[in-house]
Amino acid sequence: MNENIQNRYTFSIDLIKQAGSIALSYYLNRNELVIECKKGDKQDQVSMADKSVEAKIRQAIAEKFPEDGFLGEESGYSGLDSEFCWIVDPIDGTSPFLNGLHAWCISIAVLHKNEIVIGMVFDPLHNELFHAQLGGGAYLNDVPMHTVEPAESVQDGLVGLGMSHRVPPKTILPFIHQLLVDGGMYVRNGSGALSLAQVAAGRLLAYYEPHMNCWDCAAGMLLVREAGGTANNILENDGLLKGNFVLAAANQQVYQQLDLMRAM
Ligand code: IPD
Ligand code: CA
Ligand code: CA
């Protein structure tokens, strides 16, 4: 194991848990939060909880690894050409968070020379830390996790879906139609990062969303791969800054079936 990666891995486990406890106290007092909308989209909300959790994470990283780059949903980026770069979503599932629902998490990934080497998703409400290091397997707390097995088709489990107003409805409607025609079923919980972690944990068979940003999914995609699943490359075609579609599945066979639906 690369010692520099290992140091960041150990550090990020403590960091994400601390961030989780700050986020949890905001969640428990969410009636006090002032909610703003981003870019005029009333479904894309943000509050002090997102901003202050990201600020704490960013400050802790800058103190411990000042040479590293950073990309966060709320505060933007710096030093993206550094050897290591942290990708942070302080609260993924802001809408469930603000509405008092249960699917939200903190997501932290680390890139080393443009490859995702650390992926961490923490769900404070259930005290579940999903974590993986490239080549080291994926874990739920201290227990190794694996994608659904055996799975031959979409009929063998639930497919998580995500959608936003960044892309038009037609980017997902034919997919849903074909999924149902093929005997599959979908769920949408409002947190793409947590859904990807659920694919890694074998709770969901797969996850699809027509467009996600890197901070939503970089950690979750490594979790899926390290748990034995298949996921597309989010970094392709300038994905670090522009985002991409996200498809992750328990295995190659289910991935291919869903990839055909995606192309419809
Ligand atoms: C959103 C969630 C949602 C997904 C959206 C994301 P946010 O992130 O992951 O599930 O469908 O694409 O933007 O705004 O809650 O951090
Ligand atoms: Ca997000
Ligand atoms: Ca967010």
Side-chain angles (χ1 to χ4, degrees):
M1 283 289 166
N2 177 322
E3 194 188 330
N4 291 324
I5 298 177
Q6 186 59 44
N7 288 342
R8 284 164 176 80
Y9 190 59
T10 314
F11 173 78
S12 58
I13 287 179
D14 285 340
L15 178 65
I16 203 166
K17 287 185 177 170
Q18 284 169 28
S21 70
I22 300 170
L24 183 58
S25 62
Y26 277 115
Y27 177 80
L28 296 174
N29 298 291
R30 62 191 172 276
N31 293 343
E32 294 167 17
L33 293 170
V34 176
I35 301 171
E36 295 164 49
C37 297
K38 289 187 183 172
K39 292 179 196 155
D41 179 359
K42 286 175 100 174
Q43 300 285 356
D44 191 4
Q45 299 173 323
V46 66
S47 79
M48 182 50 77
D50 309 76
K51 291 177 189 173
S52 81
V53 171
E54 181 162 318
K56 296 269 191 235
I57 294 173
R58 191 166 191 163
Q59 185 188 358
I61 294 168
E63 280 167 14
K64 178 79 177 172
F65 301 108
E67 66 280 21
D68 289 6
F70 184 91
L71 168 62
E73 175 171 15
E74 309 304 339
S75 62
Y77 61 84
S78 62
L80 291 189
D81 51 358
S82 309
E83 184 179 354
F84 286 95
C85 183
W86 296 71
I87 306 178
V88 172
D89 192 341
I91 296 174
D92 184 75
T94 292
S95 173
F97 179 98
L98 291 172
N99 286 294
L101 297 171
H102 293 184
W104 58 271
C105 62
I106 292 98
S107 173
I108 298 181
V110 179
L111 296 187
H112 179 235
K113 297 181 178 165
N114 290 321
E115 183 173 34
I116 307 166
V117 292
I118 293 171
M120 265 188 213
V121 168
F122 183 48
D123 171 356
L125 278 180
H126 300 95
N127 198 25
E128 289 190 323
L129 175 62
F130 306 84
H131 55 107
Q133 190 176 153
L134 183 64
Y139 294 81
L140 170 44
N141 294 331
D142 295 329
V143 181
M145 41 175 197
H146 301 284
T147 55
V148 173
E149 49 184 336
E152 290 174 2
S153 82
V154 293
Q155 295 184 5
D156 292 321
L158 292 170
V159 175
L161 291 183
M163 189 55 188
S164 72
H165 289 292
R166 294 185 299 272
V167 287
K170 66 175 185 222
T171 56
I172 199 158
L173 294 178
F175 183 96
I176 295 176
H177 178 83
Q178 194 58 42
L179 179 66
L180 296 173
V181 167
D182 286 359
M185 186 44 72
Y186 63 87
V187 291
R188 181 189 190 269
N189 70 6
S191 169
L194 192 58
S195 299
L196 287 164
Q198 312 283 23
V199 176
R203 297 172 183 171
L204 291 177
L205 180 63
Y207 183 78
Y208 173 60
E209 178 156 352
H211 176 268
M212 289 180 103
N213 286 302
C214 212
W215 51 78
D216 302 310
C217 60
M221 292 172 106
L222 182 67
L223 290 171
V224 170
R225 285 191 210 108
E226 287 296 323
T230 303
N232 67 299
N233 178 8
I234 179 68
L235 298 173
E236 227 166 44
N237 302 325
D238 207 9
L240 183 63
L241 293 177
K242 291 190 175 152
N244 238 318
F245 77 92
V246 170
L247 181 58
N251 59 35
Q252 188 66 30
Q253 197 172 337
V254 175
Y255 184 94
Q256 275 165 2
Q257 190 182 8
L258 291 166
D259 201 33
L260 287 176
M261 295 179 196
R262 194 179 71 78
M264 284 181 172

